[in-house]
Amino acid sequence: LGKAEWIKLFGYLTGKEKLADHYFDQLVKSYQSLVTKAKKSATKPSVFSGNLIGEFWYTPAGESYLARMFQDANARYVYAKSKGTGSLALSFEKVIAQNIHTEYWLNPGYTSLKEILSNNASMQLFKCVKEQKVYCYSKNLNKFWELGAIEPDHVLSDLIRIFHPDLESDKPMFFYQKTCK
């Protein structure tokens, strides 16, 4: 929600403070309602994120925006205890060893499993690839980066839909989509 708070500054700069405050207040209510909904799930699935670029796997650090979103969606982010708000640069071998049984993979940087596997056949070792539980916003890349910061409730709703489909099954995903074969 900290990123979305910028809307208040823009409201002040444009003389629309009350409108911006109202928008932000509604956003907070929507987001908090989703966090409460996610906590009702009996499951807390494991998730990792990011992709291999060159020799390193880049994934959000444990104090990052996305790590917090995973926590709020009631998921166990593998790197949640790491320090920092940026990215971690890990060896591919370490990522495989730590995530071979992880249930979900988000933000692989590809829109299909075929692309993922053609880039690196070793990705098939991940349980989540075998079970086709890989999701990305790549098809909506601009939309995600332009709107995600001011509409974190849509990002959170997508994550809840992914991790707990029984809780948000009536809503289509806004940013994310499942990577297909």
Side-chain angles (χ1 to χ4, degrees):
L1 291 172
K3 284 186 177 188
E5 209 165 18
W6 280 97
I7 196 76
K8 289 181 162 190
L9 173 64
F10 291 115
Y12 176 77
L13 294 173
T14 60
K16 298 188 180 200
E17 292 172 68
K18 286 183 181 180
L19 183 61
D21 286 343
H22 177 73
Y23 176 85
F24 184 74
D25 292 344
Q26 294 305 309
L27 179 66
V28 169
K29 287 178 187 172
S30 174
Y31 190 90
Q32 293 302 331
S33 172
L34 288 166
V35 170
T36 300
K37 182 187 277 191
K39 287 181 181 178
K40 290 179 182 175
S41 177
T43 63
K44 194 168 187 171
S46 57
V47 60
F48 71 106
S49 183
N51 57 19
L52 186 65
I53 300 173
E55 294 183 27
F56 293 98
W57 186 283
Y58 292 94
T59 190
E63 298 167 327
S64 68
Y65 164 78
L66 199 52
R68 176 61 190 256
M69 295 293 280
F70 293 150
Q71 177 185 336
D72 288 349
N74 199 25
R76 286 181 294 111
Y77 180 49
V78 173
Y79 302 105
K81 292 183 180 176
S82 65
K83 297 293 180 197
T85 57
S87 294
L88 304 174
L90 307 171
S91 72
F92 182 56
E93 293 78 12
K94 185 174 187 170
V95 172
I96 287 201
Q98 293 173 333
N99 293 287
I100 197 140
H101 298 293
T102 301
E103 297 166 84
Y104 290 92
W105 175 12
L106 266 68
N107 310 323
Y110 299 97
T111 57
S112 75
L113 290 176
K114 184 178 179 179
E115 281 182 275
I116 291 169
L117 295 173
S118 69
N119 185 50
N120 188 326
S122 296
M123 303 286 192
Q124 67 188 329
L125 296 171
F126 292 123
K127 172 186 174 182
C128 53
V129 170
K130 292 175 189 171
E131 295 181 358
Q132 298 183 25
K133 291 183 175 180
V134 182
Y135 293 82
C136 197
Y137 55 75
S138 292
K139 205 162 203 167
N140 294 315
L141 190 61
N142 288 340
K143 185 169 138 179
F144 181 84
W145 290 111
E146 290 172 6
L147 298 177
I150 61 166
E151 296 182 342
D153 55 332
H154 288 305
V155 177
L156 183 58
S157 179
D158 281 1
L159 295 177
I160 294 169
R161 173 85 170 92
I162 291 166
F163 302 137
H164 312 288
D166 56 315
L167 298 178
E168 283 283 294
S169 62
D170 60 326
K171 293 184 178 183
M173 286 192 270
F174 194 79
F175 295 113
Y176 281 87
Q177 72 176 33
K178 190 174 191 174
T179 56
C180 303
K181 280 261 180 200

